[in-house]
Amino acid sequence: MPELVGPTCVLCGRTDRERLHDLPYGVIMRCRGCNLVSMLDEKTNHFPSCAYDQTYYRKKPGHQAGYKDYFGEELPERRKLAEVFAEALVATPSTIERSLDVGCGGGYLVEALQLLGVRAFGVDGSEYAIGRAAHRTENGRFICGDLRSPEVVENGPYDVITMMDFLEHVENPVAEISAACSLLAANGRLVVMTPHYGKRLSKAQGRDYVQFKPDHLYHFDEDTLVRVMEKAGPGTVAVSEVIPWVESRGAHPPHEFLHKYSQERENVLAVYTAPHDDTA
């Protein structure tokens, strides 16, 4: 495939790319230096942009980015998935008193954690999503902004920060991981879940891979995800598939959860654990 020169790679600093797939909304490319896969709008030599507005959460026919009916038809399933992840997150020897869900969307994980006694917060850049989430729950738990927003910083530090299907949407995943880790309490955890590129589905589907979407700017395998997270600091990173991680923490995923994360999609989950506070 012909070479492609893109923006400076956030992971290794190189600009030369291998062209993998030409899609209607961008070019899928792999960095020659570190193998990080991303998407470029060749006309602008930048990442494609996406509006996370009402039409994203209930997309019109023909739209490739967004959800069929995130706050309607999909709501019961999304709540069930959130309940499983919440159960797994609290099943830990250390107590979770305060959590933050980054890219919280409709706030389903925040709500599930609240029901388990966690003081849970959610942040999202979409005014529409935050408005819908805040309408259903206690005021002040949902923040429209990002990890640098004053309200997010003031409510920290957090025992757990989650990024569930968030990292693939941002232009600089290294910066987002670093910002999140700076808000962790001592021995706190950052839990990241993202589509797992390079596995069965991406190999079988090629340019028609189900996760090639206008709003997915990055596609991580285990190696590139771990390397991005290791840039955050001196903590430790552990990586797993979703189902083994959930089951290892004593959660009881229903059939729908098992089917989704074994047949419909393949995700990788990585956990960054901040260092202990030796000064305490």
Side-chain angles (χ1 to χ4, degrees), residues 23 32 37 63 78 140 162 183-184 207 227 233 247 263:
L23 305 177
R32 290 286 190 184
V37 175
H63 285 210
R78 294 192 173 279
T162 51
L183 298 176
L184 286 173
R207 72 185 304 274
R227 291 177 66 187
E247 293 181 332
Q263 301 299 318

Side-chain angles (χ1 to χ4, degrees), residues 39-278:
M39 180 169 60
L40 178 74
D41 182 343
E42 203 167 8
K43 295 179 181 179
T44 63
N45 198 39
H46 199 65
F47 296 106
S49 60
C50 179
Y52 295 92
D53 54 15
Q54 183 173 355
T55 59
Y56 180 84
Y57 289 94
R58 190 174 183 180
K59 64 181 181 180
K60 298 178 180 178
H63 285 210
Q64 293 170 305
Y67 299 94
K68 181 180 178 181
D69 191 2
Y70 184 91
F71 292 102
E73 181 182 327
E74 299 176 35
L75 187 151
E77 179 189 6
R78 294 192 173 279
R79 277 188 167 151
K80 288 181 180 179
L81 296 177
E83 289 169 1
V84 175
F85 283 118
E87 183 184 1
L89 286 166
V90 300
T92 175
S94 58
T95 302
I96 299 176
E97 296 182 357
R98 190 175 296 251
S99 71
L100 175 69
D101 187 27
V102 185
C104 66
Y108 303 129
L109 180 57
V110 174
E111 288 181 317
L113 286 167
Q114 286 177 346
L115 291 174
L116 294 176
V118 178
R119 184 163 176 76
F121 296 85
V123 61
D124 200 294
S126 168
E127 292 185 13
Y128 176 74
I130 287 295
R132 293 293 299 262
H135 180 71
R136 299 194 320 272
T137 190
E138 177 185 342
N139 290 334
R141 294 291 178 92
F142 292 100
I143 302 160
C144 185
D146 57 31
L147 284 161
R148 299 150 195 85
S149 298
E151 289 178 86
V152 173
V153 177
E154 291 166 5
N155 284 318
Y158 303 94
D159 302 300
V160 169
I161 297 177
T162 51
M163 293 180 171
M164 315 303 275
D165 293 322
F166 166 79
L167 202 62
E168 64 271 19
H169 294 266
V170 301
E171 293 190 5
N172 192 331
V174 172
E176 296 304 310
I177 293 290
S178 296
C181 290
S182 72
L183 298 176
L184 286 173
N187 206 37
R189 292 172 295 142
L190 169 64
V191 180
V192 176
M193 184 180 74
T194 187
H196 196 165
Y197 186 72
K199 298 287 282 185
R200 171 181 56 88
L201 288 177
S202 62
K203 290 178 179 178
Q205 295 171 349
R207 72 185 304 274
D208 297 319
Y209 177 44
V210 65
Q211 298 296 345
F212 285 161
K213 303 175 182 181
D215 53 326
H216 286 190
L217 308 184
Y218 286 93
H219 300 275
F220 302 93
D221 59 19
E222 287 189 15
D223 178 66
T224 53
L225 179 59
V226 169
R227 291 177 66 187
V228 165
M229 295 184 71
E230 286 179 339
K231 278 184 167 287
T236 61
V237 179
V239 65
S240 172
E241 297 293 335
V242 173
I243 293 174
W245 180 80
V246 165
E247 293 181 332
S248 72
R249 311 192 83 74
H252 302 87
H255 171 75
E256 296 86 352
F257 186 99
L258 296 173
H259 180 77
K260 184 178 184 69
Y261 289 104
S262 64
Q263 301 299 318
E264 295 180 9
R265 60 190 302 176
E266 295 164 322
N267 284 59
V268 58
L269 188 144
V271 180
Y272 172 94
T273 303
H276 291 274
D277 185 359
D278 296 328

